[in-house]
Amino acid sequence: MIQDKTPPVIEFRSAALTYPGPPPVPALLPCDLTVRRGEYVTIVGPSGSGKSTFLNIAGLLDTPTDGTYLLDGIDTTRIKDKERTILRGSRIGFVFQAFHLLAHRSASENVELAMIYQRVPRSQRRARARTALLRVGLGHRLDALPTRLSGGERQRVAIARALVTDPSLLLCDEPTGNLDTATAESVLELLDQLHGDGATIVAITHDPQVAARGQRTVSIRDGRLTDTLAEQVTA
Ligand code: ADP
């Protein structure tokens, strides 16, 4: 068997975060978590359990107050803020519950904007946006404004925007939280498909049904992460 020598995408080593307060809030207790390339991991827990705190650390929006966090083998707790921002922009694609699309920009323009910060030449942006939108099943809605798109289509645009820069990690925050059941299912099927194509996905959710879609589910309660269901890796 060939050993995968590439470092894990996510590696938490006794990572913890206590909000300073007063009073101090230990929102994430020291935890170890490894997410390898190509895994689809869901983090499930009730409101107030620490999901956002975890997501903010994993997404380099916040740094642990204890322990370390390695992203693609890079110790993100030892680098400057500016480097962390660059790393976030180049290696992480975010998908939020509320889509966060610009209302007066077309689907394509919303996706193109993500590439400006990555210094993708203007001449390539439109074609890459088109490819990303085709990938999420929206090749026919390139010029549509978000107001003319359904909730599910808006989330697909957001997923295309997250993917267009080829991130190491797709980090999803309640990706179906704003969608009805049928639409949520189609977005979950899209995530399954992206995972099948090799994407590394981490999704946080309070919904056990969404969590069950992951290849592995990690639960969080009162700031404590527990790797509950490690799925058998298919050979
Ligand atoms: P979830 O996303 O699962 O709802 P959070 O990560 O937002 O949970 O919150 C975990 C705990 O940390 C909660 O007790 C919350 O009240 C607390 N918390 C979140 N943000 C802050 C903050 N900026 N300062 C102090 N406490 C916070």
Side-chain angles (χ1 to χ4, degrees), residues 34-227:
T34 300
V35 178
R36 299 197 174 280
R37 197 160 303 282
E39 274 196 295
Y40 180 2
V41 175
T42 47
I43 314 282
V44 65
S47 177
S49 58
K51 299 186 298 299
S52 304
T53 303
F54 167 84
L55 183 110
N56 289 343
I57 296 173
L60 301 177
L61 298 162
D62 216 339
T63 42
T65 47
D66 285 293
T68 49
Y69 167 33
L70 286 82
L71 173 68
D72 287 337
I74 301 163
D75 184 349
T76 66
T77 46
R78 287 173 171 270
I79 58 179
K80 297 198 177 80
D81 284 350
K82 195 176 166 199
E83 289 172 67
R84 202 175 297 115
T85 303
I86 293 170
L87 211 55
R88 181 168 64 238
S90 59
R91 310 229 182 185
I92 299 171
F94 289 93
V95 175
F96 301 102
Q97 176 173 356
F99 321 136
H100 295 306
L101 300 178
L102 295 180
H104 302 290
R105 303 288 188 141
S106 69
S108 177
E109 286 167 340
N110 266 283
V111 176
E112 286 169 51
L113 279 169
M115 287 179 276
I116 293 178
Y117 306 108
Q118 297 312 310
R119 300 173 187 274
V120 175
R122 180 188 286 267
S123 57
Q124 294 175 19
R125 286 183 215 148
R126 173 96 186 160
R128 279 181 60 171
R130 183 171 176 274
T131 304
L133 285 162
L134 277 170
R135 196 170 168 200
V136 301
L138 281 183
H140 59 302
R141 304 306 310 270
L142 300 181
D143 297 319
L145 291 175
T147 46
R148 297 293 174 94
L149 297 172
S150 69
E153 288 173 331
R154 288 182 205 179
Q155 192 59 305
R156 284 167 190 270
V157 175
I159 292 171
R161 178 183 57 190
L163 288 173
V164 75
T165 49
D166 289 327
S168 305
L169 172 67
L170 199 58
L171 199 49
C172 308
D173 182 2
E174 299 281 5
T176 59
N178 269 349
L179 305 174
D180 63 67
T181 312
T183 312
E185 176 56 29
S186 80
V187 166
L188 291 173
E189 281 171 12
L190 173 61
L191 293 179
D192 289 345
Q193 181 194 319
L194 296 171
H195 172 231
D197 293 344
T200 308
I201 303 174
V202 173
I204 69 165
T205 182
H206 70 281
D207 182 340
Q209 281 189 313
V210 175
R213 301 296 285 251
Q215 179 187 26
R216 202 170 112 218
T217 302
V218 175
S219 56
I220 182 165
R221 189 169 280 273
D222 298 330
R224 194 178 298 281
L225 271 184
T226 318
D227 222 333

Side-chain angles (χ1 to χ4, degrees), residues 4-45:
D4 183 3
K5 293 255 174 62
T6 56
V9 177
I10 287 181
E11 199 175 351
F12 276 33
R13 292 186 187 159
S14 306
L17 190 146
T18 297
Y19 292 109
V25 179
L28 185 70
L29 300 172
C31 69
D32 294 315
L33 179 73
T34 300
V35 178
R36 299 197 174 280
R37 197 160 303 282
E39 274 196 295
Y40 180 2
V41 175
T42 47
I43 314 282
V44 65

